[in-house]
């Protein structure tokens, strides 16, 4: 900390303007939803814009990052009432003591006292009989306590269950089928999809009349007490659609005694995709895509599929699978020579991202953070589900990298890297502009960026663990990636609003997603094993389970997040 003779950065502020910025709820950091900031960490209030964030001594350092981005010099602590000047790198009371200018000393003292009283009047609304000295004393005592009440509550884990819920079971390994079992455990917990399949009386996915409630016709193999095997009658699977087999899998598995044989469902996948007929090691992400495609295609040929068809621009979401997992990737290209903008919307069922931090090479090009996409830019673009809405694009997506502290690589970093601007030129993916070509001009420079559009109910994020290196050789990326329990996707999304709304109103939309499934690959390219961590709700409480084929056990959230994740399942909340 540098010793300062004086500070004049406070002189531009007026108390009446600051009073309008001060909030009444001094609990949660403004970044709490995004970064999971703790409520009991010391908070600071920006005097210039009212940003409320964690201190520089916290893990997230929200107030310090805000100053680095905005250059707003002063913040006041709502705990100790200290006023910090980031330019002078000191608090005003210390600066006041050190300055030799009597007039300046009095000005600082008057400003500090006025700010304390102004802030205290807001806090005093909750405890009107408390004095400012009593409040500071209580705050000091709370900071000295080894553990606050909120920390104690946070450390209290959900009581483990003393029984196995009906939706929790192991899956028999059919011979190197751990890749299939790990994915099925996550799909088994996908409530937005299974709510249709489990309601078999309303949603019949087969043209054949199969009574799944009839125990005599139960087409399942169950294992009771992990020892006694009960073989039951199995109808020919060839007569059933893959949707009916998946529905039977869900219905019958909930009658099991802890272990299920998924042979019918796996055989139906083998019939659709020959690559899975080999008992060699397979890729879990390919299995997931093939299964979802097969369910979606099969559903289109049923009565349910016809019901869910919708007339829209672009590729419609016709099926339940597409409505749950489907979204669009907008490929944005802007020619840097003529300014021509091209947008194409491609349907997808997951987001596959590289395991790396963003480069952040093109972050200061745009003056406005958000802007409306004009009708002129969309006149030749087939935009799905546009109707009479207007679209808003976030121009700048700066990487969330702390320059003062190197944090671990996280899923947010990977999403930032996936959606950041990239410059195309003659050395890097040469770009040919069709507009320049019509005018007989040469073009080789462009900006490219991916936007998300029409977000899904379930966001499936695949981390590219297996990447091709030189000479066609594949290697596994074993780098640890931090997994947030909750993510927000609005920063990566083309937002949609009503024509009567302003850009400021539209950009306030939030898209929170909460983790409920993790597929993990253990081992190397030449040999490995798939496991999964899945969240199931029981008695209105979240319980996490570890699954490795037929074995399963209840675990903590911390254990579920401390692995080399490969596929992440987030459900919109």
């Amino acid at each position: 900390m540098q010793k300062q003779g004086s500070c004049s950065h406070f002189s531009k502020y007026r108390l009446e303007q600051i009073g309008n910025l001060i909030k009444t709820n001094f609990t949660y950091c403004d970044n709490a939803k995004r970064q999971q900031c703790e409520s009991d960490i010391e908070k600071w209030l920006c005097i210039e814009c009212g940003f409320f964030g964690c201190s520089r001594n916290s893990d997230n350092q929200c107030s310090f990052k805000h100053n680095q981005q905005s250059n707003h010099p002063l913040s006041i602590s709502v705990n100790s009432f200290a006023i910090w000047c980031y330019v002078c790198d000191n608090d005003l009371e210390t600066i006041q003591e050190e300055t030799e200018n009597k007039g300046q000393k009095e000005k600082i003292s008057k400003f500090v006292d006025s700010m304390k009283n102004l802030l205290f009047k807001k806090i005093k609304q909750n405890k009107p009989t408390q004095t400012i000295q009593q409040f500071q004393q209580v705050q000091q005592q709370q900071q000295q306590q080894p553990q606050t009440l909120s920390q104690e509550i946070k450390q209290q884990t959900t009581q483990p269950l003393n029984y196995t819920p009906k939706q929790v079971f192991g899956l028999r390994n059919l011979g190197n089928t751990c890749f299939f079992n790990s994915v099925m455990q996550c799909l088994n917990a996908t409530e937005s999809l299974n709510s249709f399949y489990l309601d078999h009386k309303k949603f019949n996915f087969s043209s054949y009349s199969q009574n799944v409630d009839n125990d005599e016709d139960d087409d399942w193999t169950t294992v009771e007490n992990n020892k006694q095997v009960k073989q039951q009658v199995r109808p020919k699977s060839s007569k059933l659609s893959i949707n009916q087999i998946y529905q039977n899998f869900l219905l019958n598995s909930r009658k099991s005694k802890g272990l299920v044989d998924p042979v019918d469902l796996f055989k139906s996948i083998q019939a659709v995709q020959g690559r899975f007929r080999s008992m060699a090691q397979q890729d879990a992400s390919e299995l997931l895509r093939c299964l979802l495609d097969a369910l979606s295609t099969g559903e289109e040929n049923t009565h349910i599929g016809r019901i869910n068809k919708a007339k829209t621009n672009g590729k419609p979401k016709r099926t339940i699978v597409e409505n749950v997992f489907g979204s669009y990737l907008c490929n944005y290209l802007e020619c840097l020579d003529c300014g021509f903008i091209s947008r194409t919307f491609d349907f997808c069922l997951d987001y596959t991202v590289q395991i790396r931090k963003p480069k952040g090479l093109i972050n200061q090009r745009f003056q406005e953070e958000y802007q409306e996409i004009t009708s002129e830019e969309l006149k030749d673009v087939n935009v799905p589900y546009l109707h009479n809405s207007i679209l808003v694009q976030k121009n700048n997506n700066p990487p969330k990298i702390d320059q003062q502290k190197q944090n671990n690589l996280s899923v947010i970093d990977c999403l930032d890297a996936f959606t950041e601007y990239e410059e195309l030129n003659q050395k890097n993916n040469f770009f040919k502009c069709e507009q320049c070509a019509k005018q007989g001009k040469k073009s080789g420079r462009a900006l490219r960026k991916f936007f998300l559009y029409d977000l899904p109910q379930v966001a499936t994020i695949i981390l590219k663990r297996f990447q091709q290196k030189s000479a066609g050789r594949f290697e596994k990326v074993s780098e640890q990636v931090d997994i947030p329990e909750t993510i927000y996707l609005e920063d990566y999304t083309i937002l949609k609003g009503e024509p009567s709304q302003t850009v400021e109103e539209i950009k306030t939309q939030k898209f929170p997603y909460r983790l409920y499934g993790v597929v993990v690959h253990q081992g190397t390219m030449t040999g490995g094993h798939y496991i999964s961590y899945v969240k199931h709700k029981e008695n209105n409480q979240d319980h996490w389970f570890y699954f490795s084929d037929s074995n399963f056990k209840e675990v903590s959230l911390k254990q579920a997040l401390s692995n080399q994740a490969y596929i992440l399942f987030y459900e919109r909340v």
Side-chain angles (χ1 to χ4, degrees), residues 325-363:
F325 293 93
S327 67
Y328 294 84
L329 272 181
C330 175
N331 187 8
Y332 172 92
L333 285 168
E334 179 183 352
C335 178
L336 294 177
D337 294 317
C338 72
F340 175 72
I341 294 176
S342 168
R343 289 184 179 88
T344 55
F345 291 81
D346 298 313
F347 185 79
C348 63
L349 293 174
D350 58 59
Y351 308 125
T352 302
V353 301
Q354 289 187 345
I355 301 176
R356 67 174 179 86
K357 288 191 175 183
K359 299 176 182 178
L361 300 178
I362 308 171
N363 284 319

Side-chain angles (χ1 to χ4, degrees), residues 409-416 461 463 481-484 568 570:
L409 181 67
S410 72
V411 172
I412 303 301
D413 292 317
C414 298
L415 287 171
D416 285 344
I461 300 175
L463 302 176
V481 179
D482 289 346
I483 309 170
L568 301 170
Y570 284 91

Side-chain angles (χ1 to χ4, degrees), residues 516-569:
Y516 73 91
V518 183
V519 174
V520 179
H521 180 268
Q522 300 174 327
T524 63
M525 287 293 301
T526 56
H529 179 60
Y530 283 100
I531 63 172
S532 58
Y533 292 88
V534 182
K535 181 178 69 176
H536 287 282
K537 189 174 288 293
E538 186 74 4
N539 299 325
N540 293 322
Q541 289 187 324
D542 295 335
H543 296 268
W544 281 88
F545 291 87
Y546 158 88
F547 293 95
S548 177
D549 292 328
S550 59
N551 299 316
F552 62 89
K553 62 180 179 180
E554 188 172 357
V555 295
S556 66
L557 172 62
K558 183 178 180 180
Q559 289 175 278
L561 302 183
S562 305
N563 295 278
Q564 287 186 9
Y566 180 33
I567 308 176
L568 301 170
F569 292 81

